[in-house]
Amino acid sequence: MSFFDTLQHATRQERDTLFNLPLIRKALTGDVSLESYRAFLTQAYYHVRHTVPLMMACGARLPQRLEWLRAAVCEYIDDEYGHEKWILNDIAACGGNADAVSAGQPQLPIELMVAYLYDLIARDNPVGLFGMVNVLEGTSIALATHAAGSIRDQLQLPETAFSYLSSHGSLDIEHMQTYRRLMDQLDDPADQAAVIHASKVVYRLYTDMFRELPGAEVAEPLKDAAHASL
């Protein structure tokens, strides 16, 4: 079994917990309130604004034996730079206060997730940051593919309110293809263990973030077709 497949198998329980949350189930059918969507964008801003700094910190601490991975980190930084501004624009386009969000603070799950990732890079194994990529890229693909259009129709918002979410469909699919290739090159057991552990931690904290969003009450069961494609 390739390491990418091993990673997906090892984190299946955490992934299923996330995608079986009532709010995620509703999002995949477009049944989301404007308040919930704004709250999601707000928390997304608070972690996305750290993506490039985290990648820069990771690249700086990778050992020479992983120079090939450092090159991939540089490419990822180029792709991700400025995405937090997209989110602020989306918040403004759906009637939110982008300035207040920019000056605000995240809820505890996102604050802990970001702090954990910086600490992981500084004190443990920087390769573990790719556990975050596994969680966030995979989740955004599912939401962009199955939810963005339905939510837009439901809320009757302009396309300019979905630049972040919609753009991460094809972009993150491409990223995940690259990610699979990179993870399958990762042959050190300690590096692999770091990615698996970090994936589990980020899944846990990201799930907690969704649990705290408005509208996180009981929903109808997720449709099999949507779940099978995640």
Side-chain angles (χ1 to χ4, degrees), residues 23-24 27 32-48 87 90-91 101 107 110 136 139-140 143-144 147 151 161-162 164-166 206 209-210 212-214:
L23 188 60
I24 294 288
V32 172
S33 69
L34 180 58
E35 181 185 17
S36 295
Y37 180 56
R38 284 179 185 162
F40 163 74
L41 288 175
T42 297
Q43 297 308 308
Y45 171 77
Y46 291 132
H47 69 77
V48 170
I87 300 175
D90 289 349
I91 290 170
V101 170
Q107 293 178 345
I110 295 301
L136 299 184
T139 304
S140 64
L143 291 175
I151 294 173
F162 292 86
Y164 169 71
L165 197 56
S166 297
Y206 202 50
M209 180 274 285
F210 275 100
E212 295 187 10
L213 294 181

Side-chain angles (χ1 to χ4, degrees), residues 83-110:
H83 287 196
E84 72 278 5
K85 296 177 183 177
W86 297 359
I87 300 175
L88 292 178
N89 291 338
D90 289 349
I91 290 170
C94 62
N97 187 334
D99 290 338
V101 170
S102 180
Q105 295 294 323
Q107 293 178 345
L108 185 59
I110 295 301

Side-chain angles (χ1 to χ4, degrees), residues 90-181:
D90 289 349
I91 290 170
C94 62
N97 187 334
D99 290 338
V101 170
S102 180
Q105 295 294 323
Q107 293 178 345
L108 185 59
I110 295 301
E111 184 171 3
L112 292 176
M113 185 178 81
V114 171
Y116 164 73
L117 292 168
Y118 278 114
D119 185 69
L120 172 67
I121 293 167
R123 294 197 308 113
D124 196 355
N125 188 336
V127 180
L129 184 66
F130 283 85
M132 174 203 73
V133 177
N134 179 55
V135 177
L136 299 184
E137 298 280 16
T139 304
S140 64
I141 288 171
L143 291 175
T145 302
H146 298 289
S150 298
I151 294 173
R152 185 171 62 244
D153 292 342
Q154 169 79 11
L155 299 180
Q156 297 184 330
L157 291 171
E159 290 188 9
T160 53
F162 292 86
S163 58
Y164 169 71
L165 197 56
S166 297
S167 68
H168 279 64
S170 58
L171 179 62
D172 285 348
I173 288 172
E174 180 181 342
H175 281 175
M176 283 302 286
Q177 291 170 344
T178 301
Y179 180 78
R180 175 190 285 269
R181 175 176 55 80

Side-chain angles (χ1 to χ4, degrees), residues 13-30:
Q13 180 177 345
E14 289 80 8
R15 184 169 57 256
D16 285 350
T17 298
L18 171 62
F19 282 105
N20 277 292
L21 288 177
L23 188 60
I24 294 288
R25 292 177 176 179
K26 293 197 299 184
L28 292 172
T29 63

